[in-house]
């Protein structure tokens, strides 16, 4: 396998990173909203939030992607397949991130919130200064794993015709008849990206760990 | 004037579902003195303290702080009525609380823990808040540890930071909920000596504790709770002196530490 | 709805049913073989020599760090090029889609399960093992009577989650033309130009299977919960 082929894969991996990063970002915003709705205690918003999470965690991403890809034009939204793919990935990761965030908030010890109460902090201040920072620190490892999960899952958007690392590998493999080195290289590139993300996660954890009981 | 106790509790009842944890407690904590709540596990003493801090809402009864009703007051027709949040906040600001589990905020330094409410609640500028926090940490002997996070402090040090955090807000009354119960025996001394110093300075304190020696030597009043009822109250000499109530005898057999034996 | 039921009779119905059966076979066999492989890997890494531990760790990291789809492609398309020359004869890893699917799922599951079991080993308090030693249990008895039962309790919830993840991954195998549920329904959806309907029904079927599995897992957990640690 030539270096040119490898370089084509590396270039395509840039798209993988972009689609994943955008999905993780929008997914996080959506997850925060879902988590807020779930913990709000109001059934009118909590129930749909839980249903959303259950559906997107309970069905294969491949089928979610295809469903969204075919559903959007049917309801009059003619968007490029890249957008459909990012929506699918965002919804999927939002459901997982929402569960992670919920777990984080529920793991904040009751005592530290009571201490904030006794010091006169308002509900707002308690959320912003005490519960949120502690929850984020508690969820950092799980959020890092989720980011890696989405980077890997993004390989599935090749099925709706979006060009990224796996699509490129598949095309090159069938045109050059060298599936072994090409798919191995693709795997290697995914591995490198994920190791970097895992390293970033560890670094973030370590810089937050000093402040942990 | 001096007849108004710092804390007055009347007919306090607390039920969790069907279980009655407190059944009609009357209690006065005199100003400028130390009142110790003792009793076996499950006697309701921590629940009583948490009701006074409004961390638990009493099922019935009244609490007054410096003569002002806390949480619930009397309505126009003499019925028990929930008081507005603003008045709760105002009365509660007079109370400082120290927890068994310290409950320091793990993502803030010792200094940050003490300064936090000064900034976010009282709107003090950060620099002034830090200076005041530093002074409070100095009083509990921890100025040198100001930049340490809770995870880098021993249990005794964490509890002293927690005391500094409460004192920084200049409360009129300090509540202590078993402040030494989760500490190794060799670390209880440093916390108790800070509390002793605080008592000597004239702070009104209500302390739930199993440290009988501390209670006997520092408290002016001992309150013995058993099965949610106030069984005996009075000066340490009266409560611990012979003849004793049989339940107290039994309790002392279980909890008496060697250091206290000589005191009684 | 009548038109939908129409699909369940005749040829289509048979294909969908065989797809569902294949999905379940892939799921169950993949989970079982993956559990065995994962357990052996975890034991080898814990009790085996250092180099084995490192080698297996590298394998696990590679499998956990790459997409399942790429692994499936590599096995299915790359397998035939992976040949072993022995004397004059050569043997290549030529697999039909279903075989590639089972093998891929097993390896993938094995990597994740091995990490679960390792965490399970670590979570058993040393004191429990020391207690077993002091009452005279040997190494094997300790493993069988103390470590395994305790670990089962500890890792069961995570294993249920992992097996749910595997069920969802089986759908990916349709891409290498394994004739499982998604593959079969996809064909009908393509033929009748009913993509949204096909994928909606697929989503609902998987959702139901996942919910069922989750419920069964929670039931099992509840049944076993009295064996949990005294202090928890």
């Amino acid at each position: 396998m030539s270096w040119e082929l490898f370089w084509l894969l590396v270039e395509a991996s840039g798209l993988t990173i972009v689609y994943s990063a955008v999905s993780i970002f929008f997914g996080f915003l959506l997850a925060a909203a879902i988590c807020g709705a779930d913990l709000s205690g109001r059934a009118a918003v909590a129930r749909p939030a839980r249903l959303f999470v259950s559906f997107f965690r309970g069905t294969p991403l491949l089928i979610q992607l295809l469903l969204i890809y075919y559903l959007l034009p049917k309801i009059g939204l003619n968007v490029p397949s890249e957008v459909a793919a990012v929506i699918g990935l965002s919804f999927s990761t939002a459901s997982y991130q929402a569960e992670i965030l919920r777990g984080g908030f529920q793991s904040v010890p009751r005592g530290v919130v009571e201490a904030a109460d006794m010091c006169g902090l308002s509900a707002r201040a308690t959320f912003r200064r005490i519960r949120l920072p502690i929850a984020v620190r508690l969820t950092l490892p799980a959020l890092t794993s989720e980011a890696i999960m989405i980077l890997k899952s993004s390989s599935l958007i090749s099925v709706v015709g979006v060009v990224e690392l796996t699509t490129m590998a598949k095309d090159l493999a069938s045109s050059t008849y060298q599936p072994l080195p090409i798919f191995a290289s693709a795997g290697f590139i995914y591995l490198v990206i994920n190791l970097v993300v895992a390293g970033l996660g560890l670094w973030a954890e370590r810089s937050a760990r000093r402040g942990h009981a | 004037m001096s007849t108004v106790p710092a804390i007055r509790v009347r007919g306090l009842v607390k039920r969790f579902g069907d279980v009655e944890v407190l059944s009609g407690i009357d209690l006065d904590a005199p100003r400028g003195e130390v009142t110790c709540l003792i009793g076996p596990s499950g006697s309701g003493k921590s629940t009583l303290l948490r009701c006074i801090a409004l961390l638990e809402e009493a099922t019935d009864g009244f609490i007054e702080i410096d003569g002002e009703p806390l949480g619930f007051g009397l309505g126009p027709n003499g019925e028990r009525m929930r008081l507005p949040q603003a008045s709760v906040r105002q009365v509660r600001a007079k109370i400082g609380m120290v927890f068994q589990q310290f409950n320091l905020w793990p993502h803030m330094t010792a200094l940050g823990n003490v300064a936090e409410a000064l900034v976010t609640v009282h709107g003090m500028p950060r620099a002034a808040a830090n200076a005041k926090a530093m002074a409070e940490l100095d009083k509990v002997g921890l100025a040198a540890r100001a930049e340490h996070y809770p995870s880098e402090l021993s249990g005794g040090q964490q509890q002293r930071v927690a005391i500094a955090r409460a004192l920084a807000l200049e409360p009129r009354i300090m509540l202590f909920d078993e402040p030494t119960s989760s500490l190794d025996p060799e670390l209880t001394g440093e916390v108790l000596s800070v509390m002793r110093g605080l008592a000597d300075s004239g702070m009104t304190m209500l302390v739930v504790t199993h440290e009988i020696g501390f209670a006997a030597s520092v408290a002016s009043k001992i309150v013995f709770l058993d099965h949610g009822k106030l069984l005996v109250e009075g000066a340490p000499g009266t409560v611990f002196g012979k003849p004793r109530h049989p339940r107290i005898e039994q309790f002392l057999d279980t909890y008496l530490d060697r250091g206290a034996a000589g005191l009684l | 709805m009548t038109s939908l039921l129409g699909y369940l009779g005749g040829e289509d119905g048979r294909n969908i049913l065989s797809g569902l059966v294949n999905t379940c076979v892939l799921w169950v066999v993949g989970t079982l073989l993956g559990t065995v492989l994962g357990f052996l890997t975890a034991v080898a890494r814990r009790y085996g020599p250092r180099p084995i531990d490192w080698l297996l760790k590298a394998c696990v990291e590679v499998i956990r760090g790459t997409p399942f789809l790429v692994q499936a492609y590599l096995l299915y398309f790359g397998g035939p090029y992976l040949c072993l020359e022995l004397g004059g004869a050569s043997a290549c890893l030529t697999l039909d889609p279903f075989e590639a699917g089972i093998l891929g799922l097993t390896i993938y599951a094995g990597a994740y399960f091995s990490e679960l079991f390792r965490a399970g080993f670590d979570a058993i308090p040393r004191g429990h093992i020391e207690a077993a030693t002091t009452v005279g249990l040997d190494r094997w008895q300790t493993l069988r009577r103390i470590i395994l039962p305790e670990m089962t309790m500890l890792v069961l919830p995570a294993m249920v989650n992992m097996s749910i993840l595997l069920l969802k991954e089986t759908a990916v195998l349709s891409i290498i033309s394994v004739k499982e549920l998604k593959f079969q329904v996809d064909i009908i959806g393509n033929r009748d130009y009913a993509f949204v309907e096909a994928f909606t029904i697929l989503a609902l079927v998987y959702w139901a299977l996942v919910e069922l599995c989750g419920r069964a897992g929670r039931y099992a957990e509840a049944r076993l919960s009295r064996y949990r640690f005294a202090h928890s």
Side-chain angles (χ1 to χ4, degrees):
Chain A
M1 192 183 122
S2 64
W3 279 109
E4 287 95 278
L5 288 181
F6 187 77
W7 189 244
L8 283 173
L9 290 176
V10 171
E11 278 181 347
S13 75
L15 292 167
T16 287
I17 294 171
V18 169
Y19 293 134
S20 304
V22 172
S23 302
I24 288 163
F25 175 73
F26 284 119
F28 182 80
L29 297 185
L30 191 54
I34 291 169
C35 178
D38 192 1
L39 296 178
S40 69
R42 267 170 298 190
V45 287
R47 283 181 64 100
R50 272 201 285 274
L51 201 67
F52 180 95
V53 169
S54 170
F55 179 81
F56 281 95
R57 283 168 55 101
T59 52
L61 175 60
L62 176 64
I63 287 164
Q64 295 163 14
L65 286 168
L66 288 163
L67 185 57
I68 289 169
Y69 178 73
Y70 287 112
L71 188 65
L72 287 179
K74 262 214 162 172
I75 57 173
L77 291 168
N78 284 304
V79 295
S81 53
E82 287 82 0
V83 175
V86 165
I87 291 175
L89 284 178
S90 302
F91 280 14
S92 172
T93 188
S95 69
Y96 282 92
Q97 291 188 46
E99 282 292 282
I100 294 169
L101 290 179
R102 192 172 64 100
F105 276 109
Q106 287 175 341
S107 312
V108 174
R110 210 174 60 137
V112 300
V113 176
E114 286 181 350
D117 232 10
M118 289 313 296
C119 287
L121 269 68
S122 62
R124 248 184 97 88
T126 304
F127 178 81
R128 209 168 46 82
R129 300 285 304 166
I130 311 292
R131 291 174 62 209
L132 186 66
I134 294 176
V136 167
R137 277 163 178 77
L138 287 174
T139 52
L140 264 179
L143 288 176
T144 307
S145 307
E146 177 53 24
I148 289 173
M149 218 59 190
I150 276 302
L151 268 160
K152 292 191 292 173
S153 301
S154 71
S155 64
L156 293 177
I157 65 179
S158 57
V159 296
V160 292
V162 177
V163 176
E164 43 69 73
L165 179 50
T166 302
T167 324
M168 183 59 79
K170 180 84 194 308
D171 290 351
L172 292 178
S174 54
S175 61
T176 63
Y177 298 105
Q178 296 182 322
L180 207 55
I182 285 173
F183 286 125
S185 305
F188 173 76
I189 295 169
Y190 276 111
L191 188 64
V192 169
I193 297 170
N194 287 332
L195 287 176
V196 170
V197 172
L200 287 175
L202 275 182
W203 172 81
E205 263 174 72
R206 200 163 299 152
S207 38
R209 186 177 303 153
R210 223 165 88 88
H212 240 155
Chain B
M1 153 82 225
S2 64
T3 53
V4 178
I7 303 170
R8 168 182 280 168
V9 177
R10 285 296 174 267
L12 202 74
V13 175
K14 176 65 185 173
R15 283 189 212 99
F16 291 107
D18 290 338
V19 186
E20 190 164 88
V21 185
L22 296 173
S23 15
I25 301 283
D26 295 330
L27 171 81
D28 286 335
R31 164 155 322 288
E33 291 174 27
V34 177
T35 305
C36 278
L37 278 172
I38 61 171
S41 309
S43 58
K45 51 196 192 308
S46 277
T47 306
L48 174 57
L49 199 76
R50 289 171 60 81
C51 284
I52 294 170
L54 264 189
L55 289 171
E56 307 281 356
E57 202 166 81
T59 315
D60 199 5
F62 298 94
I63 298 162
E64 284 176 10
I65 304 294
D66 281 344
E68 288 180 68
L70 176 67
F72 289 86
L74 283 177
N77 304 315
E79 77 280 17
R80 188 169 180 261
M81 188 188 74
R82 195 186 301 270
L83 296 173
Q85 197 61 38
S87 99
V88 170
R89 190 156 299 181
Q90 189 206 339
V91 180
R92 209 198 211 172
K94 298 181 179 179
I95 304 173
M97 173 121 177
V98 174
F99 299 85
Q100 182 181 346
Q101 298 295 340
F102 330 134
N103 292 344
L104 292 182
W105 301 310
H107 57 299
M108 296 178 188
T109 60
L111 190 75
N113 265 277
V114 182
E116 178 63 22
L118 296 174
V119 177
T120 49
V121 181
H122 298 277
M124 218 184 251
R126 181 56 74 175
N130 282 349
K132 180 163 173 56
M134 203 60 175
E136 294 296 341
L137 282 175
D138 194 36
K139 282 188 208 159
V140 297
L142 285 173
R145 304 274 164 173
E147 292 308 321
H148 286 62
Y149 283 88
S151 59
E152 299 163 336
L153 298 172
S154 75
Q157 291 170 335
Q158 288 186 57
Q159 194 59 298
R160 282 147 69 197
V161 173
I163 293 173
R165 175 173 72 179
L167 289 177
L169 302 170
E170 297 176 358
R172 317 243 347 228
I173 299 163
M174 283 285 283
L175 307 179
F176 292 84
D177 187 6
E178 303 202 27
T180 57
S181 291
S182 40
L183 294 177
D184 291 335
E186 71 266 26
L187 298 178
T188 57
E190 64 188 63
V191 172
L192 291 179
S193 84
V194 166
M195 290 170 67
R196 248 185 209 113
L198 195 57
D200 291 342
S201 73
M203 174 64 78
T204 306
M205 292 161 64
L206 183 56
V207 184
V208 170
T209 187
H210 285 147
E211 296 284 339
I212 305 302
F214 173 84
S217 62
V218 178
S220 64
K221 182 173 181 179
I222 303 285
V223 176
F224 186 85
L225 243 59
D226 194 26
H227 294 302
K229 289 194 182 67
L230 198 153
L231 205 63
V232 182
E233 64 177 316
T238 327
V239 175
F240 294 132
K242 292 177 177 171
R244 296 174 187 145
H245 190 286
R247 284 293 291 163
I248 293 185
E249 193 75 50
Q250 210 180 345
F251 171 77
L252 289 179
D253 277 347
T254 318
Y255 285 98
L256 196 54
D257 49 296
R258 255 174 293 159
L263 287 162
L264 302 180
Chain C
M1 214 53 204
T2 46
S3 66
L4 212 64
L5 285 175
Y7 282 110
L8 291 179
E11 184 76 29
D12 284 349
R14 271 197 298 282
N15 286 340
I16 293 172
L17 190 66
S18 85
L20 183 63
V21 168
N22 279 340
T23 288
C24 290
V25 169
L26 286 163
W27 176 28
V28 172
V29 175
T31 304
L32 289 180
L33 293 181
T35 306
V36 173
L37 180 64
F39 185 72
L40 293 178
T41 307
V43 171
R45 284 193 62 186
R46 196 179 174 94
Y47 298 110
R50 270 286 169 77
I52 296 276
D53 180 28
W54 290 336
L55 184 72
L56 289 173
K57 181 183 162 63
C59 292
V60 167
E61 288 306 318
V62 166
I63 292 158
R64 281 161 33 104
T66 53
F68 180 57
L69 177 59
V70 172
Q71 293 166 21
Y73 276 152
L74 190 63
L75 267 178
Y76 181 59
F77 294 117
Y81 295 85
L82 202 67
C83 298
L84 199 66
E85 308 274 350
L86 263 181
S90 79
C92 299
L93 191 68
T94 308
L95 301 165
D96 71 30
F98 196 80
E99 292 164 352
I102 291 276
L103 184 61
L105 273 178
T106 301
I107 294 172
Y108 183 75
Y112 280 91
F113 277 130
S114 77
E115 289 294 283
L116 284 188
F117 289 131
R118 273 163 42 81
F121 280 140
D122 291 342
I124 297 172
R126 269 192 87 80
H128 293 203
I129 296 161
E130 284 165 2
T133 314
T134 57
V135 297
L137 270 66
D138 66 28
R139 225 172 130 130
W140 168 242
Q141 286 168 324
T142 307
L143 181 72
R144 206 165 49 89
R145 301 287 306 156
I146 310 295
I147 298 180
L148 274 184
E150 280 201 34
M151 200 173 65
T152 309
M153 242 70 69
L154 286 168
V155 301
L156 189 72
M159 280 184 71
V160 171
N161 282 340
M162 189 57 220
S163 122
I164 286 175
L165 209 89
L166 279 183
L167 168 62
K168 293 188 288 172
E169 293 289 7
T170 59
V172 170
L173 294 172
S174 64
I175 300 174
I176 59 165
S177 63
V178 176
K179 294 187 176 55
E180 45 68 78
L181 184 63
K182 189 254 162 191
F183 185 86
Q184 300 287 14
V185 176
D186 208 2
I187 288 178
I188 300 167
N190 265 301
R191 183 194 67 201
D192 295 354
Y193 213 69
F195 303 105
V196 173
E197 292 82 348
F199 292 124
T200 304
I201 289 168
L202 272 173
L204 293 178
V205 172
Y206 281 105
W207 196 8
L209 283 175
V210 166
E211 278 297 311
L212 212 66
C213 183
R215 250 155 238 221
R218 281 192 289 277
Y219 174 76
E221 262 173 69
R223 286 293 300 270
L224 290 169
S225 64
R226 65 199 183 95
Y227 298 118
R228 251 186 234 145
F229 293 140
H231 59 72
S232 67

